Amino acid sequence: MREAEVRRLLAANLLCALAIVLATLGPAFFLDGFSVLGTHLTWLCVCSVCVATLNIILHLVLKPNQSPKRRSFGHKISRFLKCCIYFFMSCILFHAIIVLYGAPLIELVTETFLFSVLLSTFTTLQCLCLLGPNIQAWIQVFSKNGAMSIWESSLQITSVCSILGAWFGAFPIPLDWDRPWQVWPISCSLGATFGYMAGLIIAPLWIHWNRKQLTYKSR
Amino acid sequence: MQRWPVVLFLAWVCFLFFAGIGLFMSGFLLTRIELASSSSCSDPLVPPLWERQSLPPGSCWAPQRFSKAVLVIIDALHFEFARFDPAKASPLPYENKLGVLHQLATSQPRHARLYRFRADPPTATMQRIKGLTTGSLPTFIDVGSNFASYAIQEDNLLAQLVQNGRRVVFMGDDTWEGLFPKKFFRSYFFPSFNVKDLHTVDDGILQHLYPTVDSGEWDVLIAHFLGVDHCGHRHGPDHPEMAKKLTQMNEMLRSLVDHLGNDTLLLVAGDHGMTETGDHGGDSEKEVNAALFVYSRTPLFGSGPPEEPETIPQVNLVPTVALLLGVPIPYSNIGEVMAELFAGDSDAVSAALQQLSVYHINAKQVDRFLQSYSLVAQDLPAEQLQHLQELFSSAVEEHTQLLTQVQGTTVPPELKPRLGSLIGRFQRYLREARAVCTQSWARFHPLRMVGGCILIASSCLLCYMASELATSSRSLCHSCLLYPLFLGSLGAGLLWLVHVFTQEGLDLLLVSSWAAAASQLGFFWHWWGQHLKRARLTGSQPPLASGGLRQRLQAWLGLAFPMGILVFRCGAMFSDSFVVAEARVAPFLLASLVMLLVGKLHWDGHLTVPEGPKQQLLGVSSYRREIWYLLCLVAMLLVCVRLSSFFHQCREEIPQCRPSVFLSPLASLRNTRAKNLFYLLCVALLAGLVYAVQSWLRHYGNLNSSDPLVLFVRWGFPLVVLCIACYWAVASSADDSLGKLQELVQVAVVVFPRAVYGLASMGLLLLLCNPMTVFAKDTRESAGSIVTPYLGVPGSEVDFLHVIPQIYKRMQESQKSRLERGSCRATVAAYGLGSVYSAALVIALTLLGFLLMLLHSERLSFAFLLLFMEAFVLLHIHTCARGLAGDAELFSVPWYAVISWLLAASQFFYSTGHQPIFPAIHWNAAFVGFHLDHSTNLLPAVLVGANTFASHILFAVGCPLLLLWPFVCEVSTSQRKKPKKESREEVEEHMMEMRLRESPEEFSTALLRLGLKYLFVLGAQLLACVCAAMILRRHLMVWKVFAPKFLFESLGFVVSSICLLLGISLVMRVDCAVSTWFSQLRLR
């Protein structure tokens, strides 16, 4: 049971990583002059959309958290709307935090916002898929003994890795190498993406190695 | 409470750091004093009258040989680049490219010659340009009259040319624009900063070079090409790009030679060489080995070239060019003329006479310079100067003797060998003089640098260990302070004895650094002894290895969170880009540190209420109410940090940066309405600050008594604000609008700031005399006499009027006390005792804040408001986090608090409009309250220093608040608890800062540990700067980025540590006063 679930997690995470790779390489066949650095905004959109759709599909297919009772259609709709609002709010919140960290306030607003959308996709969207629009539960997950299943552990690791990646991505910006990827927000979004992918790969491995120590309480 | 040992220990640690800084600085920063005097045609220096009459028109000092000169400077022209070896079969990309030089030198050996041109370190372009024009050895700090601009103040070749009516045309590197403002007849500057741009400067020069040469409207033309240097920085010398660049230079020289006339001297020079990686700045053989090529259409040399090109020092160019062009040699030149250029095509004897006369002029000029230099500075050793003086006077004596025997131009043949030997003696004098100067001006002392580095590093280690070990101040101070001090003084004494015996001059710096090292050794030795003793004691018991290891690991991990940020900060000092961008790095790290703190608190589960069954059911209320408070504080901090970035000054390394509009004084604002609006805002802000401080004090009951200090806070603060407001109003009003009131304004501009200085120092004095802001209400019966006797004429009616009210009052009091005695016993109620320490600090900080605001331009008071707010918020976050984490150790300040405090300090260094470069210093701060008439240098230095290190001062003085604040905020937290747990706590709570007084031992230890932690973090930053400056001393940016950063950081360290000591001493002083207050109370 446990092993099988870890394998499922690994498969799902590899799919996500693959989706990012595809989102980077794929559009070049359809769009003229597409490149990650040159048309960064397009890449941000494509990448966020790909990861988001794949996450939602995986969530629908794998159903990591089976809810015991069936809910009415209206309830599902309201839940979905709530999720949308939460996602939007998290984008705004990320935007605000990024600006407070020193991003330009007025110039490059689109870039900053799309970057925050990307970050939300890597973190908030997963929370929404896994835990639903329940902030209490989200916050609970990110404490020492908060994870209740391997999916939640994976969520912990990938979210923290993406945010760390974005944080480290800010480091090369002041350097005088004059590389095209040192422009705001390219290095940060690349950092976040690499962090996310690293998290996707680390999470199953880490869970596999620590499977004896991991004892999940039931909620 | 142990007061003196704590302060002494901290002062000793500071001294260790200072010794390290001083030692490093003496090895790294070489200083020289710039002389303001300049040479002129009419100097009584040389030559004798009969010779001067024979000078052709347009000549000074020596006959003019060329009326025009072209100086082509090819930046970083290494000697190997200019050399041409036809035998070489497969030359490297940089070899055999300047064929034209070789061609000219071989086809016209008496017209052209190639030299090795030895540059003096530091081999940075700006220092080299200075050397090439002043004929001196510029060091990093040339102590001149003006720090504010890079312009050369010393006498130089260009100034002499301009002074003597020559037209100087310049094209190329725009560094010259800053160095010689308004000196050029015509100029074409091109931006030099972008190292990646190989072509802009060169193509720009080539576009203008030939038309200018052909037009003839010039006497001296200077062209400074940068392409070779930039190519070296970008690709290194061994690259095809370099071959292209050198070929371009070759073509340029070939066609330039064709454009020259007969009366023109052509000089092609490299200002320095480059290493194999294309860098320069240091003193390695490859960096100093440049090339010089001389050419003219008329014969220059008496004989053919030697086999191997001669090596000449770079400074020799200046006197040679000056005398060839017939202008005086610049005053501070120490170069030697290149005599072979003065031979011309005449016979050997007259050539020798000619050479003798230029040597004579040169030697007299150098002697004059050395004499005036030794009058103002002592850095040239006296005995060597004496020796030089002797050499000079004997040579001059012989010269005059010789001249009397020479009649006209005929020379008796027996004098020929004497001529040769005399030239040799002048040469020897000039060379020795240069060697003496080089030795004291142009050399790093690696040993001193390493020594300074080690001293600072070990002081950091000492700080860390002492702050971890200091469990009780008594043991630490008594044992660990006494031994080191004893050893230190012993070491210093021994060294002094050695000096006495060897009869050498006593170098205070060396003595103090040896003393510091010895006392440090003492500390570590003692510590090791204690450690061994302890180990022996615990050795008998079974060691708790496994559990201990795990715990230790966890402790290390816990430390890694704030220390990681510190490591990032220190690492950032090693990259010039990060030093340039530090204004953005510090806030970024501060925000990250605070966010990490919140994240860590959450991860450890401190933000949730320990789970019970009830919470699990509800699910919603499991969060503490404080979390919202904490989040609000964090949001406020982030907003403060972000807003503070609107006050940044710019560095020239970031060309697209625009300096903040708030930096300029209000007087420069054209729009009257905006000016008035800003003025009102600034004044309102000051008033708001006073109101906030007063209401804070009132809230904690520190504003009730009628002590002079409290009265000062009540009435003096508004008065200070009024004075500042008046000063700003006067200073920002337009100069011409006031007309007749001009004189009044002149007075007011001086009077108001002085009033503020006076009031503030009065306040600080009051604070020192009686720092108690406690109002005591004594309801015990006083033992004194009931009625004070009237001192006037007894028996009169006035006597009754004096006595009767007193009797009445007394009766009333006794009645009241009798009534009260039934309900409760007589007590002393003291208001504001719980926050007496912080109140004193807050008052001191506010006063300092006023002073510093006065020194800045008006609109920077917004930045100061942000500073105070951010400090306030940081303190609250610290208190809140500690309350949430439930720390058992009340008396120790965690590392993250200290690091965030220091990060905020460096953040506000930038946010008060400063940058660690000299041109960014706010020099006009020196004239706040003084009207351009400083008699000493001390006062303006203090004012400018206070302006520059404003945030360092405020944060260092406020540092003890980190310890005190959690105690001050105790009330509010306990009040919040009250509704739940009801009133049992009321009796035991409300101790606040008196908790500290209850355990004086721990209080002093806590202060000591806080001070040591602060010094450790400061010292770590300083160490990073020092190491960066030492390791990267060959870096391209060392004199532009790292060395100024090191200077500012070390000065900031000195200021911060002194202010820290002052802040801690202030707390001690308050503690003293509280003790006497208690003892008086007990006596009554």
Side-chain angles (χ1 to χ4, degrees):
Chain A
M1 168 65 200
R2 198 68 170 290
E3 281 299 316
E5 215 171 343
V6 173
R7 229 167 281 145
R8 264 169 36 154
L9 175 72
L10 180 65
N13 283 1
L14 285 182
L15 266 180
C16 280
L18 198 68
I20 292 177
V21 174
L22 278 182
T24 313
L25 301 178
F29 297 110
F30 309 108
L31 299 169
D32 275 342
F34 175 87
S35 71
V36 176
L37 303 182
T39 53
H40 192 67
L41 288 185
T42 328
W43 177 77
L44 277 177
C45 295
V46 171
C47 190
S48 322
V49 169
C50 277
V51 173
T53 19
L54 189 73
N55 261 319
I56 293 168
I57 292 170
L58 281 176
H59 165 67
L60 291 176
V61 172
L62 293 175
K63 290 200 176 60
N65 55 337
Q66 292 98 346
S67 49
K69 47 190 170 183
R70 297 186 69 81
R71 298 247 164 77
S72 69
F73 185 68
H75 185 263
K76 273 183 183 164
I77 290 290
S78 77
R79 212 174 138 86
F80 178 72
L81 284 180
K82 231 176 171 181
C83 282
C84 288
I85 293 170
Y86 276 30
F87 184 76
F88 186 66
M89 272 166 56
S90 94
C91 292
I92 302 262
L93 190 69
F94 268 119
H95 189 107
I97 290 176
I98 292 165
V99 167
L100 286 179
Y101 258 78
L105 185 63
I106 298 160
E107 308 103 60
L108 303 173
V109 173
T110 341
E111 278 84 350
T112 312
F113 188 72
L114 282 180
F115 172 50
S116 67
V117 169
L118 186 80
L119 265 185
S120 306
T121 320
F122 289 158
T123 54
T124 321
L125 190 80
Q126 285 193 320
C127 291
L128 282 170
C129 286
L130 204 60
L131 306 166
N134 177 4
I135 295 185
Q136 293 291 339
W138 296 7
I139 299 173
Q140 190 109 47
V141 167
F142 291 102
S143 58
K144 203 187 260 170
N145 298 317
M148 301 290 177
S149 65
I150 56 167
W151 298 95
E152 293 183 2
S153 295
S154 163
L155 170 69
Q156 261 183 12
I157 293 171
T158 49
S159 308
V160 170
C161 280
S162 357
I163 288 182
L164 266 185
W167 189 71
F168 276 110
F171 278 52
I173 293 178
L175 292 173
D176 59 354
W177 299 341
D178 276 352
R179 296 301 144 103
W181 48 264
Q182 279 180 297
V183 181
W184 170 256
I186 298 179
S187 61
C188 284
S189 52
L190 287 186
T193 314
F194 283 125
Y196 180 60
M197 283 168 76
L200 286 177
I201 292 161
I202 291 169
L205 298 177
W206 191 81
I207 291 168
H208 181 73
W209 276 321
N210 290 302
R211 61 187 179 280
K212 298 233 170 84
Q213 279 90 349
L214 288 173
T215 47
Y216 295 114
K217 289 181 280 182
S218 60
R219 196 181 287 273
Chain B
M1 173 162 175
Q2 305 245 323
R3 292 192 196 101
W4 283 112
V6 170
V7 175
L8 268 183
F9 191 82
L10 285 176
W12 172 62
V13 173
C14 288
F15 162 73
L16 295 182
F17 275 110
F18 294 169
I21 294 172
L23 194 62
F24 182 83
M25 227 182 236
S26 72
F28 179 68
L29 293 178
L30 315 149
T31 50
R32 183 179 69 103
I33 290 171
E34 279 182 6
L35 298 182
S37 2
S38 61
S39 314
S40 80
C41 243
S42 55
D43 278 340
L45 189 64
V46 273
L49 261 181
W50 56 270
E51 214 174 276
R52 199 187 284 180
Q53 281 160 354
S54 66
L55 282 180
S59 305
C60 275
W61 291 21
Q64 177 187 25
R65 289 208 53 200
F66 292 94
S67 61
K68 292 187 168 197
V70 177
L71 174 60
V72 176
I73 295 178
I74 299 176
D75 211 288
L77 183 71
H78 194 266
F79 180 72
E80 296 301 323
F81 298 178
R83 180 179 222 159
F84 192 89
D85 188 2
K88 203 159 255 179
S90 55
L92 291 172
Y94 59 84
E95 283 176 334
N96 287 2
K97 287 295 172 301
L98 295 181
V100 64
L101 304 185
H102 177 71
Q103 216 174 339
L104 287 172
T106 44
S107 63
Q108 299 168 293
R110 289 187 61 201
H111 295 250
R113 194 170 284 183
L114 181 67
Y115 294 95
R116 285 180 188 273
F117 203 34
R118 280 196 75 86
D120 303 290
T123 48
T125 296
M126 192 170 80
Q127 266 78 17
R128 284 307 92 225
I129 296 176
K130 272 191 177 181
L132 274 173
T133 51
T134 58
S136 182
L137 304 171
T139 56
F140 173 59
I141 306 177
D142 290 331
V143 185
S145 50
N146 190 0
F147 257 125
S149 75
Y150 289 121
I152 294 182
Q153 311 284 319
E154 260 183 320
D155 192 15
N156 58 65
L157 197 57
L158 267 102
Q160 287 301 337
L161 288 167
V162 172
Q163 197 176 308
N164 290 289
R166 309 292 208 277
R167 294 164 295 178
V168 185
V169 176
F170 179 82
M171 45 190 76
D173 185 352
D174 62 358
T175 313
W176 289 69
E177 188 182 10
L179 292 176
F180 305 100
K182 294 175 193 149
K183 280 277 181 346
F184 299 111
F185 177 69
R186 195 177 303 146
S187 52
Y188 307 93
F189 295 117
F190 301 98
S192 63
F193 188 70
N194 189 358
V195 179
K196 267 138 209 137
D197 178 5
L198 305 186
H199 300 296
T200 308
V201 179
D202 295 3
D203 293 348
I205 299 173
L206 289 177
Q207 202 182 343
H208 294 288
L209 183 62
Y210 307 120
T212 312
V213 171
D214 293 336
S215 76
E217 286 185 336
W218 54 276
D219 293 306
V220 175
L221 193 150
I222 303 173
H224 191 148
F225 291 87
L226 276 180
V228 175
D229 179 53
H230 283 186
C231 186
H233 283 305
R234 180 125 191 238
H235 305 291
D238 203 357
H239 193 274
E241 215 33 65
M242 184 61 96
K244 277 190 213 164
K245 205 72 227 176
L246 288 172
T247 315
Q248 185 194 14
M249 290 297 113
N250 192 39
E251 290 311 311
M252 178 272 294
L253 289 173
R254 191 184 299 281
S255 43
L256 180 64
V257 166
D258 294 337
H259 283 78
L260 294 181
N262 278 340
D263 56 346
T264 309
L265 175 72
L266 171 68
L267 297 154
V268 181
D271 58 346
H272 49 74
M274 60 169 75
T275 60
E276 273 137 12
T277 52
D279 293 321
H280 56 89
D283 53 358
S284 72
E285 182 54 37
K286 292 220 158 202
E287 290 161 275
V288 299
N289 197 1
L292 171 71
F293 180 76
V294 187
Y295 172 76
S296 94
R297 292 199 159 216
T298 49
L300 265 171
F301 301 98
S303 58
E307 278 293 296
E308 184 64 15
E310 213 181 321
T311 302
I312 57 157
Q314 210 170 44
V315 282
N316 289 11
L317 190 70
V318 175
T320 315
V321 173
L323 292 183
L324 283 176
L325 292 176
V327 295
I329 303 176
Y331 194 89
S332 9
N333 162 62
I334 53 166
E336 164 197 342
V337 285
M338 293 152 69
E340 64 269 29
L341 281 168
F342 291 86
D345 44 2
S346 47
D347 64 294
V349 175
S350 68
L353 266 182
Q354 183 68 26
Q355 287 175 354
L356 188 62
S357 100
V358 292
Y359 268 124
H360 182 222
I361 295 170
N362 193 190
K364 277 204 156 177
Q365 172 265 326
V366 168
D367 179 63
R368 180 180 66 168
F369 167 67
L370 285 181
Q371 276 183 3
S372 24
Y373 188 83
S374 60
L375 284 182
V376 289
Q378 273 75 44
D379 48 354
L380 297 178
E383 61 266 40
Q384 278 175 345
L385 279 177
Q386 182 67 33
H387 169 69
L388 285 175
Q389 183 65 39
E390 282 161 16
L391 264 180
F392 173 73
S393 45
S394 71
V396 167
E397 209 168 289
E398 173 143 5
H399 182 241
T400 38
Q401 267 183 17
L402 202 83
L403 280 188
T404 50
Q405 293 172 18
V406 179
Q407 257 84 49
T409 49
T410 53
V411 179
E414 72 274 9
L415 283 184
K416 268 185 196 164
R418 276 182 70 193
L419 265 179
S421 79
L422 187 55
I423 286 179
R425 288 172 77 170
F426 273 125
Q427 265 181 354
R428 189 167 149 230
Y429 166 71
L430 287 168
R431 280 176 196 169
E432 284 189 16
R434 210 177 63 80
V436 168
C437 294
T438 314
Q439 212 162 32
S440 62
W441 291 341
R443 232 159 255 157
F444 287 130
H445 296 284
L447 209 63
R448 286 190 167 203
M449 283 157 76
V450 170
C453 234
I454 290 173
L455 253 183
I456 294 173
S458 57
S459 312
C460 277
L461 184 69
L462 188 148
C463 272
Y464 181 77
M465 273 169 43
S467 73
E468 293 295 306
L469 287 177
T471 41
S472 79
S473 61
R474 186 183 298 275
S475 68
L476 188 83
C477 294
H478 271 242
S479 53
C480 291
L481 185 61
L482 281 181
Y483 276 101
L485 280 188
F486 173 68
L487 264 175
S489 48
L490 196 73
L494 268 179
L495 209 68
W496 180 72
L497 273 181
V498 168
H499 273 290
V500 165
F501 279 118
T502 53
Q503 301 288 318
E504 270 182 44
L506 196 68
D507 189 351
L508 196 68
L509 197 73
L510 271 184
V511 171
S512 59
S513 47
W514 277 112
S519 61
Q520 249 177 10
L521 266 183
F523 177 85
F524 285 119
W525 186 33
H526 184 80
W527 171 79
W528 183 245
Q530 292 256 322
H531 181 76
L532 281 185
K533 209 186 281 171
R534 218 172 298 140
R536 216 174 299 137
L537 277 179
T538 51
S540 51
Q541 295 158 7
L544 304 158
S546 59
L549 192 73
R550 197 172 189 115
Q551 268 181 356
R552 206 175 287 175
L553 202 72
Q554 266 181 352
W556 275 105
L557 276 180
L559 211 60
F561 138 68
M563 287 299 180
I565 296 281
L566 183 64
V567 167
F568 276 123
R569 171 146 175 70
C570 293
M573 307 278 188
F574 285 87
S575 155
D576 60 324
S577 313
F578 276 114
V579 174
V580 168
E582 211 197 337
R584 290 188 290 155
V585 172
F588 180 84
L589 288 180
L590 178 62
S592 306
L593 181 63
V594 174
M595 294 289 260
L596 264 177
L597 171 68
V598 177
K600 188 168 178 294
L601 281 176
H602 177 70
W603 180 256
D604 292 343
H606 291 307
L607 296 188
T608 47
V609 173
E611 270 182 68
K614 213 189 264 175
Q615 267 94 11
Q616 266 188 341
L617 277 179
L618 287 170
V620 186
S621 65
S622 62
Y623 281 91
R624 292 195 184 184
R625 215 171 291 163
E626 285 95 327
I627 185 177
W628 291 113
Y629 178 60
L630 183 65
L631 284 182
C632 283
L633 286 176
V634 170
M636 265 171 71
L637 181 86
L638 289 182
V639 169
C640 280
V641 168
R642 186 72 178 93
L643 285 180
S644 72
S645 71
F646 290 116
F647 299 92
H648 284 173
Q649 174 77 282
C650 281
R651 294 177 69 118
E652 57 173 344
E653 282 88 347
I654 307 173
Q656 70 272 19
C657 165
R658 293 277 157 274
S660 161
V661 288
F662 295 102
L663 293 178
S664 57
L666 273 183
S668 66
L669 219 62
R670 291 277 168 73
N671 187 346
T672 326
R673 184 177 288 176
K675 190 195 270 186
N676 289 341
L677 189 70
F678 272 122
Y679 175 74
L680 285 180
L681 268 177
C682 291
V683 173
L685 193 150
L686 278 184
L689 188 64
V690 169
Y691 178 74
V693 170
Q694 284 192 350
S695 54
W696 186 86
L697 290 173
R698 194 174 293 123
H699 177 244
Y700 286 104
N702 292 91
L703 217 55
N704 291 330
S705 83
S706 52
D707 283 337
L709 179 64
V710 176
L711 289 182
F712 183 83
V713 172
R714 282 177 165 223
W715 306 113
F717 275 18
L719 201 63
V720 172
V721 170
L722 192 70
C723 285
I724 296 180
C726 289
Y727 170 66
W728 283 350
V730 174
S732 64
S733 64
D735 278 341
D736 47 346
S737 67
L738 289 162
K740 289 173 193 167
L741 292 173
Q742 203 66 35
E743 285 173 24
L744 205 66
V745 168
Q746 295 286 326
V747 174
V749 162
V750 174
V751 166
F752 284 121
R754 288 195 182 178
V756 176
Y757 295 149
L759 278 171
S761 41
M762 194 176 96
L764 289 175
L765 268 181
L766 283 178
L767 189 65
L768 274 187
C769 293
N770 185 10
M772 294 290 287
T773 48
V774 176
F775 175 55
K777 211 160 125 190
D778 201 347
T779 49
R780 297 178 301 185
E781 274 186 62
S782 65
S785 67
I786 295 174
V787 180
T788 52
Y790 181 64
L791 297 173
V793 190
S796 64
E797 204 173 321
V798 196
D799 190 12
F800 285 121
L801 282 180
H802 176 73
V803 172
I804 288 171
Q806 284 197 27
I807 293 174
Y808 173 70
K809 213 185 223 169
R810 190 68 217 154
M811 279 166 67
Q812 214 179 11
E813 272 172 15
S814 64
Q815 201 73 27
K816 207 191 252 173
S817 68
R818 210 168 293 152
L819 278 174
E820 279 174 353
R821 197 166 290 166
S823 56
C824 72
R825 62 212 157 81
T827 49
V828 180
Y831 295 85
L833 194 60
S835 56
V836 62
Y837 295 104
S838 348
L841 274 175
V842 166
I843 292 171
L845 281 178
T846 320
L847 278 172
L848 281 175
F850 284 140
L851 277 182
L852 296 173
M853 270 189 235
L854 183 72
L855 293 178
H856 282 79
S857 78
E858 295 89 345
R859 280 178 288 175
L860 277 180
S861 46
F862 294 116
F864 276 92
L865 181 75
L866 281 178
L867 185 151
F868 281 116
M869 263 172 68
E870 192 176 313
F872 189 73
V873 170
L874 263 179
L875 287 172
H876 272 286
I877 288 178
H878 162 53
T879 309
C880 192
R882 153 171 271 183
L884 285 171
D887 266 343
E889 289 181 69
L890 260 181
F891 286 96
S892 90
V893 180
W895 281 104
Y896 71 82
V898 179
I899 293 175
S900 60
W901 198 247
L902 267 162
L903 277 175
S906 46
Q907 177 211 340
F908 274 102
F909 170 74
Y910 293 100
S911 292
T912 45
H914 297 101
Q915 282 284 350
I917 38 172
F918 292 113
I921 294 178
H922 302 182
W923 296 104
N924 39 7
F927 303 111
V928 175
F930 298 91
H931 224 276
L932 302 170
D933 53 345
H934 284 297
S935 47
T936 61
N937 277 331
L938 187 68
L939 198 61
V942 167
L943 290 177
V944 172
N947 172 292
T948 306
F949 297 108
S951 79
H952 289 85
I953 293 173
L954 287 176
F955 276 97
V957 171
C959 176
L961 284 178
L962 285 174
L963 175 66
L964 302 173
W965 210 259
F967 294 100
V968 174
C969 292
E970 204 173 66
V971 168
S972 49
T973 48
S974 68
Q975 268 175 353
R976 207 169 293 150
K977 278 178 199 160
K978 236 185 260 168
K980 283 183 195 166
K981 295 188 178 175
E982 288 310 312
S983 61
R984 201 191 297 164
E985 273 175 313
E986 259 182 315
V987 186
E988 55 193 67
E989 286 297 327
H990 302 311
M991 292 279 288
M992 291 169 69
E993 286 178 353
M994 285 305 108
R995 245 178 241 289
L996 290 165
R997 231 197 82 79
E998 294 275 286
S999 41
E1001 192 72 15
E1002 287 184 23
F1003 184 23
S1004 54
T1005 317
L1007 271 180
L1008 178 69
R1009 292 178 66 178
L1010 175 66
L1012 285 172
K1013 280 181 175 178
Y1014 198 81
L1015 283 177
F1016 169 76
V1017 179
L1018 263 179
Q1021 292 175 19
L1022 178 74
L1023 182 66
C1025 274
V1026 166
C1027 286
M1030 186 172 76
I1031 295 167
L1032 301 171
R1033 63 180 187 279
R1034 297 278 161 75
H1035 192 275
L1036 169 68
M1037 287 293 168
V1038 69
W1039 302 112
K1040 248 188 163 159
V1041 174
F1042 293 114
K1045 174 71 189 159
F1046 157 69
L1047 261 188
F1048 274 80
E1049 193 71 37
S1050 50
L1051 276 177
F1053 179 89
V1054 172
V1055 171
S1056 290
S1057 53
I1058 289 173
C1059 287
L1060 176 76
L1061 276 183
L1062 290 181
I1064 287 180
S1065 329
L1066 181 63
V1067 174
M1068 301 286 185
R1069 170 76 193 96
V1070 179
D1071 191 63
C1072 233
V1074 171
S1075 299
T1076 45
W1077 184 81
F1078 268 112
S1079 57
Q1080 270 174 5
L1081 210 63
R1082 216 163 285 140
L1083 279 180
R1084 230 187 278 164

